[in-house]
Amino acid sequence: MKFLSLMGAIALTPSLLQSEELPAWPAHWMCAEAEAIMLGERVGANRVKILEWLLPPTEGEGSNEEIELMGLDLHSRVVRSGRHQAPVKGSGRKGLKSQRLICFLNRKGDAWHSLSAVGEGSSGLVWIEEGRCYRYEQPMNPGPLELVAYRACATEKDLRAEIRLGLADRQEWSEAQTIVHPQEQAIVLAAYLLERTSPEGDHATYRQRVRQVLPKLGRHAVEEILELLRSAQPDDRLGEAVLILHDLGPAARRAVPNLVALLEKPEQVHPVRIIEALGRIGEASVAPQLLPFLKKGALQIRAEVATAMARFRYQDSAPMIVEALPAKFGQGDAYHVYAILLALTELDPVRGREATRRYLNDPAMEHVKNLLEALLR
């Protein structure tokens, strides 16, 4: 099917339209990702004396007195004032004298690396001087990582407390994976989807990981998410729950009425996520309830409705999809325009090609011109 085969080709298009900011991962997230966490003191270019294992390695290296930390010598030790921070006391920048550090570690082959190392810094390496913490962040995008005062964990005491909490939440998440009964496991995992019920509170470290495991529970997952939607409170954010229903596809057909009702509650979940889930589930009977969004929705919403109509093979929607195409738009909207043209071509090749020709030489579509030409072929 041409529509589905081309979707993979356009999935990367948004990344062409904007630069991606280098991540400065929270300590809680790094506690989930790290294979080991240590407090140490640098004793050589890339050698670190282990003072304490906060999370010992699983491969029996906890007794080692030193490790080699690859790339440590590349890390800048000049503290700068980040864009959102007050100037560092003195001239606005200084070189650290302390060699004390806390590092979140991962293995690559036989070597240890700090998490998210890029150029002269990494999120997973925190220097400590006089009890204060300094980490690497990206003050400007695009731009390099720079060493700045750690805002979220200003002191070693703060960082240790966050690590203790992160490791406790990691243990609880690990235990949830071992629950044998699928319904019981679905109940525990679904609790992570809402901030007010999540074992990790307002952290989103495991909320995002639920998507990797909950869909595997099939109907049990559907039952728990339906219960979550029925008991949702006005302040609950339901986007992650809707993503799970999207991943379940046709198995989540029972949730279609609940999803349609959520279209009236954009403050709880963006309509794009709901429409995307409905299209993936494939319940064509909801098409009449989605068609009005082709007229009143933002361009991104119109694109998702058109995509759903193509999935439904709802050919009667073609004239409305033509009307949903914008007369004026910016380069950042090129992907959405292309998605509409792609869906239209799938439903009505004649209308689709006619519309595509109108956009072929539009300067805003330059990034996706090769994809437009593919539609014409």
Side-chain angles (χ1 to χ4, degrees):
M1 186 176 177
K2 179 170 59 180
F3 171 72
L4 294 179
S5 65
L6 285 175
M7 287 307 291
I10 65 174
L12 297 178
T13 303
S15 65
L16 299 176
L17 304 180
Q18 57 184 3
S19 300
E20 294 186 4
E21 186 170 356
L22 297 174
W25 300 115
H28 191 272
W29 183 90
M30 292 192 292
C31 285
E33 287 291 309
E35 296 178 42
I37 305 173
M38 63 89 177
L39 168 68
E41 183 176 0
R42 183 183 184 183
V43 293
N46 290 312
R47 298 296 297 177
V48 178
K49 179 182 178 181
I50 304 301
L51 302 178
E52 181 183 354
W53 284 109
L54 305 177
L55 174 65
T58 57
E59 297 186 6
E61 295 186 27
S63 60
N64 287 5
E65 294 184 359
E66 292 185 7
I67 63 168
E68 184 172 7
L69 182 55
M70 302 303 295
L72 178 59
D73 57 330
L74 301 177
H75 285 61
S76 170
R77 287 172 48 79
V78 176
V79 180
R80 302 175 184 269
S81 298
R83 183 169 50 171
H84 304 295
Q85 296 178 319
V88 175
K89 188 175 181 180
S91 65
R93 62 180 64 185
K94 66 175 183 178
L96 291 182
K97 297 178 181 178
S98 171
Q99 300 294 337
R100 187 180 176 91
L101 56 87
I102 285 180
C103 198
F104 299 79
L105 300 167
N106 267 353
R107 276 189 177 281
K108 294 180 183 178
D110 294 330
W112 286 110
H113 295 257
S114 56
L115 280 180
S116 189
V118 180
E120 295 186 354
S122 57
S123 289
L125 195 157
V126 180
W127 295 102
I128 302 170
E129 184 167 276
E130 297 180 350
R132 309 291 296 180
C133 292
Y134 301 87
R135 73 172 309 184
Y136 298 91
E137 297 182 6
Q138 186 188 34
M140 296 189 67
N141 177 29
L145 291 176
E146 296 183 355
L147 187 61
V148 298
Y150 195 165
R151 288 167 288 172
C153 298
T155 67
E156 180 180 350
K157 181 179 179 181
D158 295 335
L159 181 55
R160 281 176 167 271
E162 188 67 10
I163 291 173
R164 284 194 297 271
L165 174 61
L167 293 180
D169 287 340
R170 172 178 173 147
Q171 179 63 28
E172 190 163 358
W173 171 257
S174 179
E175 291 171 357
Q177 312 310 299
T178 66
I179 298 174
V180 176
H181 195 283
Q183 184 176 8
E184 181 183 350
Q185 188 179 45
I187 292 171
V188 173
L189 293 176
Y192 280 91
L193 295 174
L194 297 181
E195 182 177 322
R196 66 179 170 85
T197 61
S198 175
E200 62 172 342
D202 60 357
H203 294 286
T205 299
Y206 299 102
R207 190 181 311 157
Q208 298 172 2
R209 286 168 169 79
V210 171
R211 191 177 181 186
Q212 301 170 17
V213 291
L214 189 53
K216 297 176 184 178
L217 299 178
R219 64 180 180 84
H220 300 289
V222 176
E223 290 171 5
E224 291 311 313
I225 293 179
L226 280 173
E227 180 59 31
L228 181 152
L229 296 181
R230 284 192 289 262
S231 61
Q233 297 180 8
D235 291 338
D236 288 337
R237 298 294 176 263
L238 305 175
E240 282 78 11
V242 172
L243 284 174
I244 302 295
L245 295 175
H246 167 274
D247 293 347
L248 285 161
R253 197 174 299 273
R254 288 177 52 204
V256 166
N258 304 79
L259 288 171
V260 171
L262 280 176
L263 287 170
E264 303 300 323
K265 300 178 180 180
E267 70 282 359
Q268 289 191 295
V269 57
H270 198 288
V272 164
R273 283 192 174 179
I274 300 170
I275 297 165
E276 184 181 27
L278 290 169
R280 176 78 168 78
I281 292 169
E283 181 53 70
S285 64
V286 304
Q289 293 161 287
L290 300 184
L291 287 174
F293 287 91
L294 284 173
K295 292 184 177 180
K296 67 180 182 180
L299 185 58
Q300 183 183 9
I301 296 175
R302 282 180 271 162
E304 200 57 57
V305 173
T307 299
M309 294 302 123
R311 288 184 178 273
F312 297 156
R313 296 181 174 84
Y314 198 78
Q315 293 178 315
D316 290 347
S317 66
M320 293 184 66
I321 292 176
V322 172
E323 294 177 2
L325 285 163
K328 296 181 180 180
F329 61 97
Q331 192 178 69
D333 290 322
Y335 165 76
H336 303 307
V337 174
Y338 173 70
I340 296 174
L341 292 170
L342 178 61
L344 178 61
T345 303
E346 174 65 22
L347 290 169
D348 188 328
V350 174
R351 280 192 173 100
R353 292 189 185 103
E354 289 176 354
T356 300
R357 289 190 186 96
R358 296 201 304 270
Y359 288 93
L360 186 61
N361 295 313
D362 192 309
M365 299 295 287
E366 185 64 29
H367 292 89
V368 294
K369 185 173 182 178
N370 61 325
L371 298 177
L372 297 183
E373 291 171 345
L375 290 183
L376 294 176
R377 289 195 296 270

